[in-house]
Amino acid sequence: MQAKAIRWFSLGLIVIVTVASSVDGYETPGEGAYLPDFELEVPQSQTARQYLGLSGEGRFRISQIMADFVIMEIFSMYCPHCQREAPTMNAFYHRIESSPKLRDRVKLIGIGVGNSPLEVDFFREQYNVPFPLFADGDFAIHKLIGEVRTPYFFGVAITPDGSQRIFFSGLGGAKDAQALLDEMIQKTGLE
C-alpha cells in the first residue's frame, strides 16, 4: 500500500512541475507572430543613436527604431558560434549600409544574452562590430523570446501601428553575408 501511495505522490508531483513550468515558460515566437514587447537602453554612442534614429536617454522599444525592418542577432560573447560568425555579421551590416534601397529601411542590432554591458563592449571591440549591441545581463529578454540558443536571428517588420511582426525566426549558421541578405530581402519583399 505504501509503494502505491509513493507512486501516486510521484505522479502528482510530476504533473504539478510540468504545469508550473508550462505556465511560466515562454515559447520562441515564429514567423508571422509578434515579437514580445521589451525595452533596451538608448545607446550612449551618438553614432549608434543616429543609426537607430533615436534621441535622448532612457529606454526604447524596437518599434521606435526608425526603420521598416529590424534584424536582431541574439548572441553571447561566450558562444563560439557567435564569435565565428561575427565577421559574417559585420559584412552583412556593411552590405545593408552600402545599398541605397536598404540602408534607411533595414537596421541591425545585437542582444547579448546573459552578458553585462562590459561583456557586450568587449565583444564589440574584439570583433569590431559596427552595429549597436545591447546587454541582457539578467536574461529577461532571453526568457521572453523562449530562451533560444545562440546565435539566433529574428527579422521584425515594424507595422504602422507600432507592433513588431516577425518575418524571420531561426537559429544561426550565417556563413555567407550575401546569402543571408538575399534571404532577408526575399522574406521582406524589399526588391
Side-chain angles (χ1 to χ4, degrees):
M1 187 68 163
Q2 191 176 25
K4 193 174 187 178
I6 290 173
R7 273 186 266 164
W8 278 108
F9 175 77
S10 298
L11 180 62
L13 188 58
I14 290 170
V15 168
I16 289 170
V17 168
T18 302
V19 169
S21 67
S22 67
V23 169
D24 290 335
Y26 294 91
E27 288 189 32
T28 301
E31 294 177 18
Y34 289 94
L35 185 71
D37 195 31
F38 57 83
E39 293 182 333
L40 298 166
E41 291 291 328
V42 172
Q44 292 181 354
S45 159
Q46 178 65 26
T47 303
R49 285 195 306 272
Q50 281 182 299
Y51 171 73
L52 298 174
L54 301 172
S55 60
E57 297 177 357
R59 301 180 71 73
F60 73 98
R61 290 182 163 80
I62 299 297
S63 60
Q64 292 174 284
I65 295 173
M66 299 304 294
D68 297 323
F69 304 96
V70 176
I71 312 295
M72 297 186 327
E73 179 187 17
I74 309 302
F75 76 96
S76 170
M77 76 165 280
Y78 299 104
C79 165
H81 305 290
C82 302
Q83 295 166 8
R84 187 172 42 252
E85 288 186 8
T88 301
M89 294 311 298
N90 292 346
F92 179 67
Y93 164 84
H94 290 298
R95 287 182 186 266
I96 292 169
E97 286 300 291
S98 67
S99 168
K101 290 182 181 179
L102 302 177
R103 96 171 56 113
D104 294 329
R105 299 192 65 199
V106 180
K107 300 298 176 189
L108 177 62
I109 66 170
I111 300 175
V113 295
N115 296 163
S116 69
L118 182 66
E119 290 167 317
V120 167
D121 286 342
F122 179 84
F123 189 87
R124 178 186 297 108
E125 291 170 17
Q126 181 72 28
Y127 297 101
N128 298 310
V129 178
F131 53 90
L133 300 178
F134 301 90
D136 179 29
D138 61 1
F139 292 97
I141 295 168
H142 191 235
K143 184 175 181 180
L144 282 175
I145 59 174
E147 299 179 312
V148 296
R149 293 188 342 228
T150 57
Y152 198 92
F153 297 95
F154 288 102
V156 179
I158 308 299
T159 62
D161 68 359
S163 59
Q164 304 145 132
R165 192 151 182 84
I166 297 170
F167 67 84
F168 181 83
S169 176
L171 192 58
K175 293 178 177 40
D176 178 76
Q178 188 60 51
L180 181 59
L181 185 59
D182 290 345
E183 182 174 7
M184 295 299 166
I185 287 171
Q186 186 264 333
K187 291 202 175 259
T188 61
L190 277 171
E191 279 198 344

